[in-house]
Amino acid sequence: MVLRKTSEGLQFVFQVAQNFCTVLYLPTHKYHLGQGIFFAFSCLIFKKKMLFVFLRFQTKTKRTYASTLLTFFLKLAPSVLRSTAKSADCGLSPAGPPTVGPRSLPTTYNVQFPLGRPTSENLQAICGYSDLRPRYPSSYFPDSGYGVDKLRASAVNNAEAWLSTCCKDNQTWEREVALCCATQAWELSVKKYCEEDLSIKHPWYHCCKINDNNKRLNCFSNDAPNPNYGPTQELPVEPLPSTAEFTFNPNTCQRTHSPVPLALIEGKPKELSTPRAADISFPPGRPTADTIESMCHNQRLRPVYSIKCLPRSGYEMVALQAKTINLIEKGFKSCCKNKKTKLNCADQKWSEELNKFCLRENGGRVNYPCCLNQSDKYSCFQQMSPDPYYNVTSAHEEVSLNKICDTHKTIKKKFPVGFPLKDFVTQCCPLQEEEKTACSARLLEEMAQKLCTSKRAVPTTVRRCCKSSSQETPQCISKIIMSAITKATNFSSQKKRKRCPIS
């Protein structure tokens, strides 16, 4: 009887050991060779241990313990079988299964986190390989524990779902809009993950500890295990719905010309997009003997540009053009101080900075039309210049009395005329443009009569006007006002030279 029970016990022990090994061996086609050898060795040790324990308790004095041990194994068997079934359905990724040991439960679950920043280089892969990157359903994890891994898996699932939404309309949207959508989705996933991660009492993800948003996003992008969004699954996976809402706002996207110009940097193409709303005069005309005087005299009327107002991506070409213009204008300012050498100096500075514009820091060449035309590069720049002879920038804006509405504050502070202009502002400025001229002419006659008959002291210039005939006096006073308007206009232009290169 004891022998029969012993035989049945041994058979059961080996059955339990075999089930344990089945759990380990089932997904081994997805493991590395070293992991397979480790699990095989674990099975061998497990079988020997169970046999040793069972034979040890098969003594006459410890049959009760043997019976208890058999009861324990009978309770253990269903859970082992359930684990076997669950392992078959969990869809382990090629990157590896949960880390296990022969005497412990899994300690971590592999989650490909975080996702990389969407760029023009990986946008096609984001959309093309969406179903060949892992998703993490609730069945992937145990019912309890692994909160950090579950949080990261949820962030990946949401981001992938939102990216898929952007890709669905990729056929009808312009490439820039699709990329803008993907970028918004990715940044929102980072934001929501950190909000939830920082609200839990556990070791926070190191990137979430960074307060500066741009540095935080760069940190996530640098940590991405698959920044190119390449396929990591052999078979397509089922998409999972997102657990949070994402709404794409196209109004925040900067539209660009199509096709987008490219710059070759270190032999690799990189997009340099020129915004449709760019407001920049590039390239400047080449200094010549005919233009050098107006170029130097009216330099203050030409703008220089601030690139701090530009978004961090999508405006590389505008930023490059703005920097080039600023350097050329800085060189012109220095050259114009020497009357004898200013032409040669300015021409040399113009040529040097445009050469630098074409040849980037890393040795690549900007795919700008004139940069590719090496045989006649400078003539090409001169032909493409919107103001090759400095006619537009040197032309003075037409000044009229109506401009007093825009300049009266500057006149009062910087260029006082010695008599009040309040009546012009209050009576004429609210009128339509065509009515302002008649209003100004009427007020000039009234002001001339009032100033010349007043017993109060008036400026010398006004007294000279009063010595003229009654018909000439309004015109004389008008010249005083027009001179102040011109000075105020030039002062405002000089003050606002540095401007944003996009409107």
Side-chain angles (χ1 to χ4, degrees), residues 401 419-421 423-424 427-428 436-454 462 465-466 468-479 481:
L401 277 176
F419 50 86
L421 301 174
D423 290 343
F424 284 95
Q427 296 183 34
C428 300
K436 288 181 181 180
T437 303
C439 177
S440 299
R442 177 177 57 80
L443 286 180
L444 269 176
E445 293 182 1
E446 294 178 1
M447 182 174 289
Q449 185 178 2
K450 187 183 298 185
L451 289 173
C452 292
T453 58
S454 176
V462 175
C465 292
C466 292
S468 305
S469 63
S470 58
Q471 295 180 351
E472 295 177 350
T473 300
Q475 296 179 0
C476 181
I477 294 177
S478 175
K479 290 181 180 179
I481 299 175

Side-chain angles (χ1 to χ4, degrees), residues 300-305 406 410 489-500:
R300 287 184 174 274
L301 300 179
R302 294 191 300 274
V304 290
Y305 301 97
D406 302 324
T410 305
T489 302
N490 292 338
F491 177 81
S492 300
S493 299
Q494 294 174 16
K495 188 177 181 181
K496 297 180 180 179
R497 280 188 68 218
K498 202 165 190 178
R499 69 188 191 197
C500 187

